[in-house]
Amino acid sequence: MARRSTTLPPQASGEDPTIRPATLADVAGVIGLDEEVTGLRKAAYWQDMFERFGARRRDQRFFLVAGAPGHLDGFIIGEVRAWEFGSPPSGWVFAVQVRPRLRVRGLGARLFAAVCARFRTAGVARVRTMVARDNAVIHAFFRSQGMMAGPFIELEMRLD
Amino acid sequence: MKLQKATAFALYAVLELAAEPGRQRTAVEIADKYGISAHHLAKVLRDLGRAGLVEAVRGVGGGYRFVGNAKRLTLMDVIGLFEGTSAEADAPTPGEGQDIASGLRYVLAELDAQTGATLRSISLSTMLKLVARRPWESLAAARPARPTRAARRGP
Ligand SMILES: CC(C)(COP(=O)(O)OP(=O)(O)OC[C@H]1O[C@@H](n2cnc3c(N)ncnc32)[C@H](O)[C@@H]1OP(=O)(O)O)[C@@H](O)C(=O)NCCC(=O)NCCS
């Protein structure tokens, strides 16, 4: 059996060849895609996200993209978090976006599968996320991937 | 939340038919599988037909087939044809000065928001995938056996 090596082409390692870790050159594409989706340009925010999740501790933090730099088709961001609320290490997904005209063709599912594969490699057995209750699309998307409500409940109050 | 009979029957029927969209099934076939009244199910299937989720197939064998969009129809879409899901709406309307009743409705509204979001997020196609995974089996395996009456009473 061939030894696992980081020099293997992505296909040979069983990875989705169209999905790769983000590089600095992708940040502009992420900013543009997010602006197209949300109508807001948040350059400093995405720059910071890349520095925190794309450039450091890359065995635990995953900023993955699909498409060409400058014109991304989609991205997903996740990280392994340990012992928050007493929970053993688990994967957290906290951003996913697919270019509107490319939706409902399986790219979101492939991005999710790619980040889950990295969580497994990082040794965690569970993946979590949080969705806005009235965002039916993103909620339906995560449900379609097999996610269910977990054992935590989000609580909040006004501070006034 | 307690589903009424008609609602549960509708979910059985729609999901059975959506699992094999090309295939037609009769009310009797589905009713037999779940041990429910074929007469009651036939009525429910007619309601589902009027709502455009299933279609009656004429001719030999007859029966119904699924004609909806399983990726877009949600559990709430089916349930909503037969009943409301609001606990808040079922609670008595608070009168003047009945703050406790108002507070109770406020808490029930929190439950309703949760219930609604859950039922609206699960499409028929997601539900069929869930059923195929049989997640309830690992839940049952993880749950400790229920103590017997004698054990609860203690020595
Ligand atoms: C959610 C999103 C990532 C899905 O991407 P996508 O490429 O369209 O998803 P896929 O084609 O892989 O679909 C996967 C599943 O999600 C379901 N889905 C996708 N869009 C859906 C919609 N609008 N309504 C209901 N279900 C939907 C699909 O039906 C599919 O289910 P299936 O497994 O039963 O076939 C994309 O719609 C998006 O970017 N939305 C905006 C994201 C957002 O609001 N982000 C803010 C929070 S970070």
Side-chain angles (χ1 to χ4, degrees):
Chain A
M1 215 174 87
R3 265 197 326 143
R4 259 180 168 271
S5 143
T6 50
T7 57
L8 283 175
Q11 293 91 328
S13 65
E15 291 219 333
D16 189 326
T18 62
I19 295 172
R20 58 186 173 80
T23 66
L24 189 57
D26 291 310
V27 176
V30 170
I31 295 167
L33 173 52
D34 176 59
E35 185 176 6
E36 183 182 332
V37 172
T38 66
L40 293 174
R41 190 169 179 82
K42 314 180 198 93
Y45 172 75
W46 290 114
Q47 192 69 44
D48 183 52
M49 287 294 267
F50 175 75
E51 277 156 26
R52 283 157 58 201
F53 297 100
R56 285 193 287 147
R57 304 203 49 198
R58 291 176 55 179
D59 56 333
Q60 306 269 305
R61 299 179 183 178
F62 309 106
F63 194 146
L64 307 178
V65 298
H71 196 82
L72 291 181
D73 297 336
F75 64 88
I76 193 161
I77 310 176
E79 76 169 325
V80 175
R81 290 187 193 164
W83 309 118
E84 264 184 331
F85 315 112
S87 157
S90 58
W92 270 89
V93 172
F94 48 86
V96 58
Q97 273 180 21
V98 167
R99 190 171 288 283
R101 67 179 168 76
L102 299 177
R103 288 187 189 167
V104 211
R105 296 187 201 170
L107 179 54
R110 284 181 14 240
L111 285 163
F112 184 72
V115 83
C116 286
R118 280 164 167 84
F119 287 145
R120 271 184 217 102
T121 306
V124 302
R126 207 165 275 279
V127 56
R128 301 201 158 106
T129 192
M130 188 150 78
V131 297
R133 199 157 53 196
D134 49 11
N135 189 338
V137 171
I138 193 93
H139 196 174
F141 167 75
F142 282 123
R143 292 275 190 184
S144 79
Q145 303 307 298
M147 295 184 104
M148 299 289 289
F152 297 94
I153 290 178
E154 185 251 353
L155 296 174
E156 62 179 41
M157 65 185 262
R158 288 173 60 99
L159 291 174
D160 46 21
Chain B
M1 188 187 157
K2 187 168 179 293
L3 290 179
Q4 287 166 23
K5 257 190 192 170
T7 316
F9 292 4
L11 287 167
Y12 295 162
V14 161
L15 286 158
E16 280 288 340
L17 296 172
E20 290 175 276
R23 184 168 160 210
Q24 67 200 60
R25 310 271 296 273
T26 64
V28 172
E29 275 171 359
I30 299 173
D32 279 355
K33 178 164 177 179
Y34 292 91
I36 60 182
S37 151
H39 181 74
H40 195 170
L41 184 65
K43 186 180 169 303
V44 165
L45 278 162
R46 282 194 296 275
D47 290 340
L48 291 171
R50 268 191 294 275
L53 272 59
V54 304
E55 199 172 70
V57 185
R58 316 241 165 259
V60 189
Y64 284 89
R65 62 192 173 89
F66 180 71
V67 290
N69 179 349
K71 287 186 189 293
R72 283 295 181 273
L73 279 166
T74 69
L75 296 183
M76 185 63 118
D77 292 330
V78 179
I79 294 170
L81 294 173
F82 296 88
E83 61 181 290
T85 59
S86 169
E88 185 195 8
D90 282 347
T93 309
E96 192 62 29
Q98 298 176 352
D99 284 358
I100 289 177
S102 300
L104 197 53
R105 279 178 72 106
Y106 185 74
V107 173
L108 292 176
E110 178 179 317
L111 298 183
D112 286 346
Q114 212 68 31
T115 305
T118 298
L119 296 174
R120 268 189 290 275
S121 70
I122 301 180
S123 67
L124 299 186
S125 131
T126 292
M127 188 64 194
L128 289 170
K129 284 194 278 186
L130 183 156
V131 170
R133 285 197 309 274
R134 305 160 78 92
W136 55 88
E137 287 181 349
S138 53
L139 197 69
R143 200 181 285 152
R146 276 179 70 174
T148 61
R149 250 163 193 272
R152 275 203 304 272
R153 243 186 274 120

